Amino acid sequence: MSLRLLLIKVTMIAMLRTFFVAGDAAIGDASFDENYNVTWGDDHVLFLNQGREVRLLLDETSGAGFTSKSYYGSGYFHMKIKLPANDSGGLVTAFYLYLNSSVHDKLVHDELDFEFLGNRPDKPIILQTNVFTNGVGNRERRFSLWFDPTADFHYYKILWNHHQIVFFVDDIPIRVFKNNIIKGVGYPNRTMQVVVSLWDGSNWATDGGQVKADYSNGPFEAHFQDFNIHGCLSPLTKPNNNCFSQDYWWNAENYWILNSHQQKAYEFVTKTYMIYNYCTDGIGRRKPKDYQECFV
């Protein structure tokens, strides 16, 4: 290991020891059936450890996915994930919050994404985050990770309140999306559902679609644990206007901004591991100037 990599590893370990999200203390041991339903690929889903671990399988016939039984209007959402090993080029493993519905005859689409983009052996899996609000996405930020996400389980978390959305890897904040509605920037504030899936994204996921899934190396397996959800219930038919109340711990004032330790970690990760940022690189026909949040 080079001296630079060693120093990075030591720094990350030191940071991890100083970070936590208070709600983690409340994480329990819910089984899958308490909060989730399988939504597709039933015969590609295996329940382990009395429903406290789920394996999704992807082969040439199908992938699989599951969603939360309920919808939420704010919260702290997390999943422990171990990604498919071997040659995973073209594969997408996803954990996200999602709303795509018609409200007053208008199509509404909000979304908060963790998407893991598979790759060829000896090349890193890329973690892509994205934010959709009012139907507008293309807000990708991509990261290489400081560990092998196929070797063991790691936590991936989304904190969502009325002030900020924070994406965490374990306890390290890697992305922050602030509520700047007052400055004309859209912000996800509608009811969303938790969605998890493993599927073939060969048309775009790896090297812009140049690498296709190679099923001779399959079937591919992704594993998931910790099916607890800390969120404010908010049905689609009758949204809960109280979901940004400080009665919920994730809405408390100390979760409106990153604390000083988290801010240092955030700056370190974005400088060291972020490999693509829509605010500086643009995407397709959309350029950074099209996204007002990049300048506030």
Side-chain angles (χ1 to χ4, degrees), residues 1-27:
M1 180 181 293
S2 70
L3 177 60
R4 179 176 179 274
L5 289 177
L6 179 60
L7 289 173
I8 289 174
K9 185 175 181 180
V10 170
T11 302
M12 295 299 291
I13 291 173
M15 288 179 175
L16 280 167
R17 287 174 177 167
T18 61
F19 301 150
F20 68 97
V21 175
D24 280 359
I27 289 176

Side-chain angles (χ1 to χ4, degrees), residues 9-253:
K9 185 175 181 180
V10 170
T11 302
M12 295 299 291
I13 291 173
M15 288 179 175
L16 280 167
R17 287 174 177 167
T18 61
F19 301 150
F20 68 97
V21 175
D24 280 359
I27 289 176
D29 193 25
S31 66
F32 176 89
D33 290 337
E34 292 180 52
N35 290 317
Y36 290 94
N37 283 322
V38 174
T39 48
W40 64 286
D42 299 58
D43 59 347
H44 284 58
V45 180
L46 178 66
F47 296 95
L48 306 168
N49 189 24
Q50 297 181 323
R52 286 175 172 77
E53 181 175 333
V54 169
R55 183 212 69 181
L56 298 187
L57 181 72
L58 173 66
D59 59 23
E60 60 272 18
T61 66
S62 181
F66 57 89
T67 62
S68 61
K69 294 180 178 180
S70 300
Y71 287 79
Y72 303 89
S74 68
Y76 177 60
F77 305 90
H78 56 269
M79 189 72 62
K80 289 181 74 175
I81 304 173
K82 184 167 71 171
L83 299 178
N86 301 324
D87 182 348
S88 61
L91 276 59
V92 179
T93 307
F95 164 55
Y96 56 105
L97 303 182
Y98 181 72
L99 170 66
N100 193 341
S101 182
S102 178
V103 178
H104 304 304
D105 298 321
K106 181 180 179 181
L107 187 64
V108 175
H109 178 192
D110 287 352
E111 190 171 333
L112 306 174
D113 293 322
F114 277 114
E115 295 174 311
F116 301 90
L117 312 182
N119 217 332
R120 291 298 189 217
D122 301 322
K123 291 188 177 181
I125 289 173
I126 301 302
L127 170 56
Q128 174 170 284
T129 63
N130 201 356
V131 175
F132 281 78
T133 179
N134 297 323
V136 179
N138 296 135
R139 292 181 170 93
E140 288 90 350
R141 290 189 179 181
R142 297 176 188 155
F143 302 82
S144 58
L145 294 169
W146 50 94
F147 55 85
D148 178 1
T150 74
D152 204 350
F153 287 93
H154 288 268
Y155 266 113
Y156 304 93
K157 311 174 183 180
I158 300 172
L159 173 72
W160 171 34
N161 59 38
H162 193 55
H163 298 270
Q164 64 176 355
I165 294 161
V166 185
F167 294 79
F168 293 87
V169 174
D170 292 318
D171 293 318
I172 301 291
I174 66 166
R175 181 171 184 175
V176 178
F177 190 86
K178 303 294 289 187
N179 185 343
N180 283 301
I181 289 178
I182 194 172
K183 299 179 180 179
V185 178
Y187 189 79
N189 56 13
R190 301 179 182 90
T191 292
M192 288 192 280
Q193 187 178 30
V194 186
V195 184
V196 175
S197 61
L198 173 63
W199 54 286
D200 187 337
S202 290
N203 62 326
W204 68 276
T206 307
D207 293 342
Q210 299 300 308
V211 176
K212 310 301 181 185
D214 182 356
Y215 288 107
S216 67
N217 293 307
F220 302 100
E221 298 181 4
H223 291 251
F224 304 86
Q225 294 177 347
D226 196 341
F227 303 110
N228 298 276
I229 297 177
H230 302 282
C232 173
L233 293 173
S234 182
L236 272 176
T237 54
K238 191 177 181 181
N240 183 351
N241 295 323
N242 195 45
C243 280
F244 290 124
S245 165
Q246 291 193 53
D247 291 341
Y248 298 100
W249 66 260
W250 53 83
N251 293 329
E253 188 172 354

